[in-house]
Amino acid sequence: MSDQAHLSPEDESGAARFQALLDREEKIEPRDWMPDRYRKLLVRQISQHAHSEVVGMLPEGNWLTRAPTLKRKAVLLAKIQDEAGHALYLYSACETLGTSREETIEALLDGRAKYSSIFNYPVPTWADVGAIGWLVDGAAIVNQVMLCRCSYGPYARAMERICKEESFHQRQGYEIMIKLAQGTPAQKKLAQDALNRWWWPSLMMFGPHDSESTHGNQSTEWKIKRRSNDDLRQHFIDMTVPQAEFLGLTVPDPDLKWNEDRGHYDFGPINWDEFKAVLKGGGPVGRERMAARRAAHDDGAWVREAAIAHAEKRKARQHAAAAE
């Protein structure tokens, strides 16, 4: 049954305004009427994005003390701080939809919500940190640039800033890969090994094929998404293969070749069984990531309690001052 079925006259008027805003390419704002499913789709997508920013800090945080130079440590720390800020923007966007930060985080911790499957893979070498910046953040940018035109205003505005910062993350990662690829044979081998590990998981980041995407058609109809999973994946491949060639590295796909007729690269089949298993937390370090996230949440309880107590005392002082 559609969201518009059996609407009250007031809701029918709201639905008409909602559709008119979409048709005029104007933003839906928190005060506007919106279908329940539109709201739910947004909360699902935005909260998953927020969770991914937080969990994505974990593998990079493990490399802070092991980055090869002070400059690399400072750059990596700045990137991690950016990701914390991204999560804050996104959790705040969920709050404009009537879902509190506590609710969204609780959904992650009890397994009802997901984060990007890419973070369930290990990061064993410094080259992996570079590959994450180059490939994972590169895929994220391809996915997220279109979200700057998302029909929901708070999400679109958050994405404008996030995409600017993600572009720096991608460049930082690629610069690491350049240094390794142009270094010693051992360093170039590290770069190639990292590319071998992260290529296919990066392609999986765009989600299942369009024919198997559960929410894709509705998201496109409501202009939450502007391009399909397969379209975005193809764009990423076409953009990234020349970058790998510049590095002198080999993309680990024997079926990869340029198709002159299509004007795109053809590529081999993706292992969707692996994608589904990793998405369910079955990746090499899935349990480790969630254990670390739950531990961080528990360890930070005293900070949240102190912040709430401080806010309540401040509010009480303000009320007392107003009453005088």
Side-chain angles (χ1 to χ4, degrees):
M1 184 177 294
S2 71
D3 289 286
Q4 279 73 29
H6 307 300
L7 294 179
S8 68
E10 182 179 352
D11 284 344
E12 285 183 358
S13 176
R17 291 196 302 273
F18 174 83
Q19 189 59 51
L21 288 170
L22 290 180
D23 294 342
R24 294 197 303 267
E25 293 287 343
E26 296 181 19
K27 300 303 182 190
I28 310 298
E29 299 295 344
R31 64 180 179 274
D32 294 324
W33 185 97
M34 64 188 74
D36 288 341
R37 192 178 173 206
Y38 178 83
R39 187 185 303 274
K40 290 176 182 177
L41 273 177
L42 281 168
V43 169
R44 175 186 172 276
Q45 179 171 327
I46 297 172
S47 64
Q48 180 173 310
H49 188 172
H51 301 327
S52 299
E53 295 284 356
V54 174
V55 176
M57 296 162 64
L58 297 173
E60 293 171 330
N62 289 336
W63 274 95
L64 269 178
T65 60
R66 294 181 287 161
T69 67
L70 180 60
K71 175 186 174 181
R72 295 296 185 192
K73 289 178 172 64
V75 170
L76 186 57
L77 179 59
K79 179 183 179 183
I80 293 170
Q81 289 174 321
D82 283 347
E83 289 165 345
H86 298 173
L88 178 61
Y89 307 151
L90 295 165
Y91 284 132
S92 297
C94 280
E95 289 177 325
T96 69
L97 291 160
T99 303
S100 70
R101 195 173 312 177
E102 291 76 15
E103 289 177 284
T104 54
I105 293 174
E106 188 61 35
L108 172 68
L109 298 178
D110 67 19
R112 287 178 289 124
K114 304 294 184 184
Y115 56 88
S116 177
S117 61
I118 196 75
F119 299 117
N120 283 341
Y121 289 90
V123 184
T125 74
W126 175 247
D128 289 80
V129 177
I132 288 172
W134 171 34
L135 298 174
V136 176
D137 292 331
I141 292 169
V142 170
N143 252 326
Q144 294 169 10
V145 164
M146 67 166 181
L147 294 173
C148 295
R149 296 173 55 230
C150 171
S151 59
Y152 187 59
Y155 192 23
R157 290 188 287 272
M159 291 311 307
E160 289 180 7
R161 179 163 183 173
I162 289 173
C163 285
K164 290 177 183 177
E165 294 176 350
E166 290 288 1
S167 68
F168 281 102
H169 300 172
Q170 192 272 344
R171 293 174 195 175
Q172 291 162 2
Y174 193 59
E175 198 257 346
I176 291 173
M177 298 298 283
I178 289 174
K179 292 293 185 182
L180 292 171
Q182 295 178 349
T184 66
Q187 288 173 322
K188 186 171 183 178
K189 184 178 185 301
L190 280 177
Q192 181 64 61
D193 289 344
L195 173 57
N196 293 346
R197 282 191 293 275
W198 291 96
W199 176 255
W200 292 106
S202 295
L203 299 191
M204 296 176 194
M205 284 181 65
F206 297 94
H209 287 307
D210 297 339
S211 59
E212 300 177 9
S213 178
T214 305
H215 305 284
N217 290 338
Q218 187 63 79
S219 291
T220 302
E221 180 181 335
W222 279 331
K223 300 183 180 180
I224 297 172
K225 290 182 64 173
R226 297 287 180 152
R227 298 172 67 182
S228 72
N229 294 351
D230 287 332
D231 184 23
L232 292 168
R233 186 169 17 248
Q234 184 69 68
H235 177 67
F236 172 75
I237 293 171
D238 293 345
M239 176 184 73
T240 308
V241 170
Q243 295 172 355
E245 292 173 347
F246 176 81
L247 293 173
L249 303 178
T250 302
V251 174
D253 180 357
D255 297 324
L256 184 72
K257 62 180 179 180
W258 178 254
N259 186 318
E260 194 67 41
D261 293 335
R262 292 199 313 119
H264 298 287
Y265 283 95
D266 292 335
F267 56 97
I270 296 171
N271 185 349
W272 292 113
D273 290 337
E274 176 185 328
F275 171 76
K276 292 173 184 176
V278 174
L279 190 62
K280 293 177 181 178
V285 292
R287 290 189 179 87
E288 176 184 324
R289 294 282 185 260
M290 280 309 303
R293 181 66 190 91
R294 291 188 180 102
H297 183 77
D298 292 342
D299 291 344
W302 70 271
V303 178
R304 295 191 297 276
E305 292 167 1
I308 291 171
H310 174 72
E312 290 176 346
K313 287 182 179 179
R314 184 177 181 181
K315 186 176 180 180
R317 288 196 298 267
Q318 290 173 341
H319 285 167
E324 292 178 354

